[in-house]
Amino acid sequence: MYAQLRETADELAGILWREHTVYRERGGGVVIRGEHVGRWISLAPTGGKDRALLRAGRLLDGGTTAPARSETVVDLTAGTAELATICRRLLADVAAGADTAQGPSRAGRPEGKPGKRAARAARPGRPRTSRHTSLGSWFVLLCVAGVLGVWLYSVFGRSGY
């Protein structure tokens, strides 16, 4: 199966991109990287004869791959031109998803609350120049010291030590 995937990936890479890298991934699949376009395509075995899982995603700034944005199961007996058409459609979905995620609108983002880090990074806030103990922290420290003082007085103050 790996030989068939590798052969198909080499043909697809030649059709899709002039500059590409084809390599084997851990799960037995084949990855085609297009560094100049910032996208990748993966062909992985599905367990069925002559069928493969085709996934597409984008490359991050450091050269690592982002998780797949779109995927589909394809028949490897189909012609290379048909597989290239499917790959182009998946790559277009990835490009559309990357454009909406970079924009300021919330249209491309998943539903639900954003993480605390993302929320903090998104809001401009005032710049911190130094880290001083705030008034609230001093109040908490004074309360803890007061409770400790009352406890020490109750234990040692009445016994006559």
Side-chain angles (χ1 to χ4, degrees):
M1 183 69 178
Y2 173 71
Q4 184 181 11
L5 285 177
R6 178 68 184 213
E7 184 179 302
T8 304
D10 284 334
E11 291 173 9
L12 279 174
I15 291 174
L16 295 173
W17 299 311
R18 277 183 263 157
E19 301 173 24
H20 58 271
T21 305
V22 180
Y23 63 92
R24 185 177 181 179
E25 72 182 339
R26 283 185 226 140
V30 180
V31 177
I32 308 167
R33 288 174 66 112
E35 297 286 339
H36 63 291
V37 292
R39 305 285 181 260
W40 61 267
I41 296 173
S42 168
L43 288 163
T46 59
K49 185 175 181 181
D50 294 331
R51 297 182 64 82
L53 176 65
L54 182 68
R55 299 182 305 154
R58 60 189 182 96
L59 298 175
L60 301 176
D61 291 335
T64 59
T65 57
R69 293 228 176 213
S70 57
E71 60 183 34
T72 187
V73 176
V74 294
D75 189 12
L76 294 177
T77 58
T80 307
E82 293 156 7
L83 290 175
T85 303
I86 295 169
C87 288
R88 286 187 183 109
R89 188 186 69 220
L90 291 178
L91 290 168
D93 291 345
V94 169
D99 291 342
T100 58
Q102 291 175 355
S105 70
R106 294 185 53 95
R109 296 186 186 154
E111 292 296 322
K113 294 182 179 180
K116 289 183 180 180
R117 272 187 189 224
R120 283 187 185 152
R123 71 172 177 227
R126 67 169 195 249
R128 287 192 171 183
T129 55
S130 63
R131 290 189 164 252
H132 291 290
T133 308
S134 68
L135 184 62
S137 298
W138 281 113
F139 179 74
V140 170
L141 287 172
L142 285 173
C143 288
V144 169
V147 169
L148 183 65
V150 168
W151 178 76
L152 286 173
Y153 178 75
S154 68
V155 171
F156 296 111
R158 291 190 210 157
S159 63
Y161 286 106

